[in-house]
C-alpha cells in the first residue's frame, strides 16, 4: 500500500443507479465511501446514451427506485416511457436529494484494483495516477457500458464525423442536409433511426441482422393511473416483483401451441396494440419451444409486411431468429421510417460491409458516400466493463484470466478468488438484464449492504465466495438456461457480438422471485456459500 494513501471503507465504481444507491446505503451504515465515475456527471447509462430518441423500454412508473417512499411520491414522470433527459434529471435529483455528490469524484476512470493479501484491502488506481485504499470494492459499472466499436477495415479513415450512440455529444448533433449512415439495428438504432431520418438529407441503414420491434405506443403519463399507483405504491411494486422479469404485463400461463390460431393471433394483436416488452408474455412457451416461438415470429413478420410499403424492403427487414432471444426492441415508428423516400435499407446479409473509406461505407456491391457515420453497434455486455479494469485478486490473479473460459460468479454478486469484491446487478449469473434494472439493482445493493453490516457487527474483515458454491451456482444458471431458446441465438447475452468472447449465456433466467428468495435464504443461513473470516488471508 502506498504511503499516505487515502483510506476508505469502500470504493464504488460507477455513478449510475447502482452506484448512487450503494453510496446512500453505505452512508447509512456509517461507512466512509468514495465513488469514482468516469463521466462528468451522475446517471450512468443515461449520462452516456444521449442519442436521438433514447428512452427506457420499461414503463416509467416501474423504472424508479423504491427505497424512499418520499422520493416515490414526489417524483412525477411525464411520459409512459421516460425519455433519456428526464431519467438523467431523476438520477441527479436523487443524487442531490440524498446529498451524494460530495463523495463522488467525477471525470475519474478507475484503471486498476489490486487486492493486497497482507492488509486485506484493495488498492484502487485511477487514470490520473491517484491510489486509494479500501476494504470493499464495489463494481457498479453497468452491464451495457463498455462500448463496442467493431474493427471494421478502414474504420478510422472516414473523413466525416463519426458517433457511437453510447458516446453521444452532449450538445446534440444536427444532421440537417447530411448524408448519414448508421451501422446496426439493435435497440439504440431502432430508437434513433426514426429521428435521424427526419433530419438527415438521406439516411442509409446498414443492417446485418433484422430486428423484432414492438410499438411503444408512448404518450403522456395518464395522471389518473399515476394517482392510483401512488396510492398503493409499495403494493404495486410488490405485486410486480412476484413476476418472472419484475415487469408488469399480464403474464399468460397458457402455451401458444395448445391455443387455436385465431385465439393466438387475437392475443398477439391485443399486446401489439398495448405495446412494449410484455408482448413476450403472451404465452408461457414462447422462449422454450421453437414452434411456439414461430407463431409469434410470424405475427411480427406479418406486421412488418403490412407496415412497409415496398415488398423488397419489407422482405429484407424480416427477422428469422427466435423472437425475444435477442433483446426485443420497442419503437416509435421504426418500420414506418423505411417508407420515407430519404431512407435506404442496405442489406449486409446480401452485400456485406467491405470497408469504411474516407468518403463513406463500401459494401461488396457499391460505395455509399456519406457525411456522417453513426455506430449503433452496442456493447461488450456484462463482462466488458469489469474486464477493461485490471482487477487482481488473491495471488495476483487477474479477473480476465479467471474468466478466460467464461465468467463465473456466485449469485452474480461475487467471484471466488476476489475477496471483498462485489458486483451490482451486472454480474454474469444475476437476473440483471433480464429483469427491470432498478429493482434488481436495489435488491443487490441491499444484499451487499446487509452482508457488510453483518460483517461489521461480528467484526469480520474478509468475505469471499467459495469455489464450491460458485460452481453450483454456475451449474444452476446453465441448467435453467438450457431448456430455453436463448443460448442458441447469436446475441450479446451469449457474447456472440464480440469476437473471441467465450460463448456463455450470461444472465440468470430462473426468474426474479426465485432469485430473490435464494438470496434471502442464503442470507438467513449466515451467508451460506461465502467464507467469512475475521482476519486477512
Ligand atoms: O446494441 P445491440 P444496442 N457490422 O448489440 C450491429 C439496451 N438498450 O446499443 O445483430 C455490422 O443490440 C449488430 O448486428 P448483429 C438493450 O438491452 C436499451 O442497440 O450483431 N453491424 C446489431 O444490429 C439492448 O439490447 C434501450 O448482426 C454490426 C447492432 O450493431 C442493449 O442495450 C435502448 C457490426 C448492435 O445492437 C444494446 O443495444 C438502447 C458490424 N461489424 C439499448 N457490429 C432501451 O431501454 C455490430 N453490428 C429502449
Amino acid at each position: 500500500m502506498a504511503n499516505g494513501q487515502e483510506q476508505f471503507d469502500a470504493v464504488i465504481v460507477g455513478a449510475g443507479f447502482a452506484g448512487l444507491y450503494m453510496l446512500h446505503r453505505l452512508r447509512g451504515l456509517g461507512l466512509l465511501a468514495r465513488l469514482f465515475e468516469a463521466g462528468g456527471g451522475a446517471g450512468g447509462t443515461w449520462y452516456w446514451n444521449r442519442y436521438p430518441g433514447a428512452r427506457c423500454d420499461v414503463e416509467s412508473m416501474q423504472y424508479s427506485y423504491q427505497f424512499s417512499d418520499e422520493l416515490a411520491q414526489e417524483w412525477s414522470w411525464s411520459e409512459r416511457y421516460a425519455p433519456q433527459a428526464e431519467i438523467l434529471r431523476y438520477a441527479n435529483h436523487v443524487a442531490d436529494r440524498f446529498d451524494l455528490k460530495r463523495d463522488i469524484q467525477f471525470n475519474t476512470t478507475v484503471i486498476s484494483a489490486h487486492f493486497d493479501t497482507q492488509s486485506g484491502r484493495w488498492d484502487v488506481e485511477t487514470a490520473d495516477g491517484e491510489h486509494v485504499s479500501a476494504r470493499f470494492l464495489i463494481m457498479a459499472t453497468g452491464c451495457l457500458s463498455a462500448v463496442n466499436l467493431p474493427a471494421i477495415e478502414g474504420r478510422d479513415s472516414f473523413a466525416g464525423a463519426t458517433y457511437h450512440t453510447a458516446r453521444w455529444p452532449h450538445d446534440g448533433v444536427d444532421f440537417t442536409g447530411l448524408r448519414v449512415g448508421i451501422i446496426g439495428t439493435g435497440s439504440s438504432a431502432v430508437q434513433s433511426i426514426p429521428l435521424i431520418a427526419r433530419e438527415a438529407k438521406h439516411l442509409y441503414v446498414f443492417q446485418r441482422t433484422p430486428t423484432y420491434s414492438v410499438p411503444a405506443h408512448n404518450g403522456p403519463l395518464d395522471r389518473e393511473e399515476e394517482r392510483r399507483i401512488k396510492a398503493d405504491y409499495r403494493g404495486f411494486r410488490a405485486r410486480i416483483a412476484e413476476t418472472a422479469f419484475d415487469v408488469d404485463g399480464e403474464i399468460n400461463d397458457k402455451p401458444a401451441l395448445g391455443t387455436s390460431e385465431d385465439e393466438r393471433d387475437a392475443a398477439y394483436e391485443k399486446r401489439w396494440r398495448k405495446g412494449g416488452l410484455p408482448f413476450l408474455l403472451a404465452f408461457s412457451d414462447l422462449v422454450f419451444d421453437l414452434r411456439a416461438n414461430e407463431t409469434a415470429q410470424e405475427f411480427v413478420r406479418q406486421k412488418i409486411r403490412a407496415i412497409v410499403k415496398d415488398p423488397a424492403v419489407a422482405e429484407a427487414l424480416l427477422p428469422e431468429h427466435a423472437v425475444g432471444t435477442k433483446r426485443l426492441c420497442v419503437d416509435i415508428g421504426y418500420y414506418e421510417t423505411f417508407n420515407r423516400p430519404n431512407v435506404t435499407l442496405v442489406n449486409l446479409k446480401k452485400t456485406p460491409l467491405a470497408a469504411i473509406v474516407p468518403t463513406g461505407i463500401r459494401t461488396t456491391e457499391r460505395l455509399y458516400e456519406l457525411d456522417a457515420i453513426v455506430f449503433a453497434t452496442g456493447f461488450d455486455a456484462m463482462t466488458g466493463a469489469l474486464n477493461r479494469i485490471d482487477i487482481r485478486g488473491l495471488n495476483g490473479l487477474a479477473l480476465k484470466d479467471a474468466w478466460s473460459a467464461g465468467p463465473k460468479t456466485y449469485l452474480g454478486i461475487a467471484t471466488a478468488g476476489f475477496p471483498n469484491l462485489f458486483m451490482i446487478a451486472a454480474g454474469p449469473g444475476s437476473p440483471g438484464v433480464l429483469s427491470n434494472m432498478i429493482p434488481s439493482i436495489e435488491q443487490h445493493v441491499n444484499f451487499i449492504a446487509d452482508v457488510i453490516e453483518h460483517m461489521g457487527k461480528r467484526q469480520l474483515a474478509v468475505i469471499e465466495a467459495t469455489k464450491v458454491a460458485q460452481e453450483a451456482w454456475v451449474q444452476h444458471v446453465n441448467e435453467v438456461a438450457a431448456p430455453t431458446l436463448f443460448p442458441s441465438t447469436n446475441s450479446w447475452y451469449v457474447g456472440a457480438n464480440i469476437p473471441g468472447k467465450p460463448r456463455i449465456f450470461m444472465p440468470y433466467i430462473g426468474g426474479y422471485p426465485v432469485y430473490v428468495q435464494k438470496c434471502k435464504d442464503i442470507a438467513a443461513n449466515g451467508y451460506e456459500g461465502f467464507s467469512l473470516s475475521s482476519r486477512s488471508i
Side-chain angles (χ1 to χ4, degrees):
M1 194 193 306
N3 284 338
Q5 203 169 308
E6 262 192 287
Q7 309 271 316
F8 296 98
D9 294 311
V11 157
I12 303 166
V13 187
F17 285 118
L20 293 178
Y21 181 46
M22 191 76 245
L23 179 57
H24 178 65
R25 277 298 317 264
L26 292 182
R27 283 238 194 104
L29 295 176
L31 299 191
L32 184 62
R34 165 70 56 85
L35 192 159
F36 291 116
E37 164 57 53
T45 202
W46 304 105
Y47 173 87
W48 296 105
N49 287 268
R50 297 171 189 240
Y51 60 82
R55 65 178 70 241
C56 190
D57 57 8
V58 172
E59 295 195 34
S60 311
M61 291 305 293
Q62 298 164 54
Y63 193 74
S64 330
Y65 284 122
Q66 296 168 75
F67 71 84
S68 158
D69 288 336
E70 295 77 21
L71 174 67
Q73 292 298 324
E74 77 198 9
W75 185 265
S76 190
W77 295 103
S78 64
E79 297 178 48
R80 180 178 174 196
Y81 295 98
Q84 171 269 333
E86 190 172 356
I87 305 174
L88 188 59
R89 272 203 303 283
Y90 175 70
N92 278 288
H93 170 74
V94 172
D96 293 334
R97 192 188 193 289
F98 297 97
D99 188 22
L100 300 175
K101 288 182 181 165
R102 67 185 153 88
D103 287 324
I104 305 179
Q105 196 169 316
F106 292 109
N107 300 307
T108 306
T109 302
V110 169
I111 57 166
S112 78
H114 294 180
F115 185 74
D116 181 330
T117 311
Q118 290 274 300
S119 62
R121 298 179 69 87
W122 285 92
D123 174 8
V124 180
E125 184 187 6
T126 72
D128 302 327
E130 185 184 359
H131 283 258
V132 301
S133 163
R135 267 183 69 210
F136 295 103
L137 173 65
I138 304 177
M139 304 306 290
T141 39
C143 32
L144 294 156
S145 53
V147 162
N148 172 36
L149 208 49
I152 297 169
E153 193 191 319
R155 188 190 69 199
D156 302 328
S157 69
F158 183 60
T162 57
Y163 308 96
H164 190 287
T165 44
R167 290 292 178 271
W168 206 257
H170 288 197
D171 39 7
V173 180
D174 184 1
F175 289 114
T176 308
L178 301 185
R179 299 160 301 172
V180 182
I182 183 165
I183 302 174
T185 49
S187 299
S188 305
V190 160
Q191 290 188 325
S192 54
I193 282 169
L195 292 168
I196 297 175
R198 277 194 224 159
E199 214 172 77
K201 180 174 169 202
H202 202 96
L203 177 65
Y204 297 91
V205 178
F206 293 87
Q207 170 193 271
R208 188 164 66 181
T209 308
T211 199
Y212 293 101
S213 188
V214 173
H217 299 306
N218 188 40
L221 192 66
D222 179 341
R223 292 297 154 210
E224 178 47 33
E225 190 191 348
E226 180 188 16
R227 198 200 50 72
R228 201 166 29 77
I229 289 172
K230 282 187 171 175
D232 178 27
Y233 192 68
R234 282 189 182 208
F236 168 73
R237 298 297 296 263
R239 281 189 295 281
I240 298 169
E242 290 304 317
T243 66
F245 304 105
D246 198 356
V247 175
D248 194 17
E250 292 179 47
I251 295 177
N252 181 2
D253 292 333
K254 272 173 72 175
L257 288 184
T259 306
S260 74
E261 202 176 325
D262 285 352
E263 201 184 321
R264 231 166 26 210
D265 282 348
Y268 291 136
E269 184 64 36
K270 188 174 156 213
R271 284 173 190 263
W272 184 269
R273 285 179 189 210
K274 192 152 190 233
L277 296 174
F279 180 81
L280 282 178
L281 305 175
F283 294 103
S284 61
D285 49 356
L286 291 186
V287 298
F288 293 100
D289 188 311
L290 193 54
R291 284 190 310 136
N293 191 283
E294 275 162 4
T295 66
Q297 292 175 36
E298 197 41 37
F299 178 85
V300 183
R301 287 195 285 257
Q302 288 300 352
K303 287 288 181 194
I304 298 171
R305 289 188 187 102
I307 295 168
V308 180
K309 295 195 178 111
D310 181 331
V313 176
E315 200 58 29
L317 283 167
L318 300 182
E320 287 170 359
H321 58 276
V323 57
T325 56
K326 277 165 105 81
R327 169 83 171 203
L328 184 64
C329 298
V330 177
D331 71 279
I332 303 177
Y334 173 65
Y335 296 120
E336 290 81 349
T337 300
F338 293 92
N339 292 330
R340 294 178 66 100
N342 71 331
V343 174
T344 300
L345 181 68
V346 183
N347 184 349
L348 299 179
K349 279 263 156 65
K350 273 199 168 156
T351 57
L353 200 161
I356 292 176
V357 295
T359 50
I361 293 179
R362 196 154 45 73
T363 67
T364 50
E365 184 192 34
R366 55 164 277 204
L367 169 69
Y368 293 87
E369 290 194 20
L370 302 169
D371 303 304
I373 297 177
V374 175
F375 290 89
T377 45
F379 305 90
D380 182 353
M382 302 188 78
T383 51
L386 296 165
N387 282 339
R388 287 179 190 187
I389 299 173
D390 177 24
I391 299 175
R392 288 173 194 257
L394 293 177
N395 308 314
L397 177 66
L399 184 67
K400 48 180 170 292
D401 292 339
W403 287 3
S404 60
K408 289 187 171 184
T409 71
Y410 182 41
L411 299 173
I413 291 178
T415 184
F418 295 81
N420 290 6
L421 168 74
F422 296 111
M423 297 164 272
I424 305 176
S430 73
V433 291
L434 290 181
S435 65
N436 181 354
M437 278 311 297
I438 295 189
S440 262
I441 282 169
E442 285 184 290
Q443 188 259 338
H444 266 193
V445 168
N446 289 334
F447 184 92
I448 295 165
D450 289 351
V451 76
I452 289 177
E453 186 179 22
H454 171 94
M455 290 171 72
K457 282 184 182 157
R458 289 161 185 78
Q459 294 184 322
L460 298 167
V462 180
I463 180 168
E464 187 192 346
T466 68
K467 279 204 171 117
V468 173
Q470 177 165 286
E471 286 306 322
W473 182 251
V474 169
Q475 197 182 336
H476 174 62
V477 171
N478 291 336
E479 271 167 14
V480 289
T484 74
L485 301 172
F486 281 91
S488 54
T489 300
N490 289 332
S491 67
W492 58 255
Y493 292 133
V494 298
N497 63 329
I498 303 296
K501 191 164 172 170
R503 190 187 178 101
I504 308 267
F505 180 72
M506 292 182 284
Y508 176 66
I509 197 171
Y512 182 73
V514 174
Y515 177 84
V516 172
Q517 191 56 47
K518 277 185 194 294
C519 289
K520 281 186 184 158
D521 293 346
I522 285 164
N525 290 331
Y527 295 96
E528 196 178 7
F530 290 97
S531 77
L532 289 143
S533 64
S534 54
R535 52 183 180 81
S536 54
I537 301 151

